[in-house]
Amino acid sequence: MPITNIRNGLIATLTSCGPYAANEVSSCDYGIIGNVSGSAIIVHPDGESSIRGSTFSGKGTTKTQYITWNWIGEIYIRFTGDPTKFLGDVYSAMDDIQTTLNKDVKLNNTACNAALTGISYNIREGYDIEGHDFGVVRFSLETVEF
């Protein structure tokens, strides 16, 4: 399968298994961040993939590939002026991404497996986007396909 299928499966999983609306998740448009009242998720490939042949067919001229794709996700959380609520939203984002991705490790049947490999938050990282402040929770994901 092409990487676009895994991308589509990842977005479908985020929107069908998690608390995220379709307008809050994107794989190609950072512009959605300024239009959300709560949070927005951006996902994209990260680093080098691993591609290995696993089987051959016929006279050995075609093969099935075992491909591992690495992904980064960024959850932009809007700061509304209440630091206690914001920190609670950070904790919720970390819990929500883990819970959501554990609900469908095959990403809408586009991957053999998807594993969350890390979650991080840096209180010193923040952005002003269209006049609103955002903090970022980052997560990494590894997907495997045949």
Side-chain angles (χ1 to χ4, degrees):
M1 277 190 214
I3 191 172
T4 53
N5 289 0
I6 300 251
R7 176 201 65 196
N8 294 342
L10 175 55
I11 290 172
T13 298
L14 292 171
T15 57
S16 66
C17 295
Y20 314 106
N23 68 332
E24 296 173 328
V25 181
S26 180
S27 64
C28 57
D29 182 10
Y30 279 87
I32 69 166
I33 298 168
N35 297 321
V36 298
S37 60
S39 62
I41 299 178
I42 308 297
V43 294
H44 54 84
D46 181 58
E48 188 172 345
S49 62
S50 170
I51 302 172
R52 295 183 176 93
S54 61
T55 62
F56 291 91
S57 64
K59 296 181 181 186
T61 58
T62 62
K63 65 182 175 183
T64 301
Q65 293 182 324
Y66 176 86
I67 305 173
T68 302
W69 300 105
N70 297 305
W71 299 85
I72 288 290
E74 302 160 335
I75 307 171
Y76 288 83
I77 303 165
R78 190 169 175 176
F79 178 69
T80 59
D82 181 345
T84 303
K85 180 188 179 313
F86 177 77
L87 191 54
D89 290 345
V90 168
Y91 283 109
S92 292
M94 296 172 111
D95 287 341
D96 289 344
I97 198 65
Q98 184 176 11
T99 302
T100 298
L101 292 173
N102 282 338
K103 287 181 181 176
D104 183 3
V105 297
K106 293 192 174 197
L107 302 180
N108 206 29
N109 290 318
T110 61
C112 295
N113 186 45
L116 188 64
T117 57
I119 303 173
S120 65
Y121 171 69
N122 181 344
I123 198 166
R124 293 175 299 281
E125 180 183 14
Y127 299 95
D128 179 327
I129 301 171
E130 295 186 16
H132 303 285
D133 293 328
F134 288 85
V136 182
V137 168
R138 298 183 186 280
F139 63 93
S140 53
L141 181 71
E142 180 181 86
T143 62
V144 177
E145 67 166 294
F146 277 107

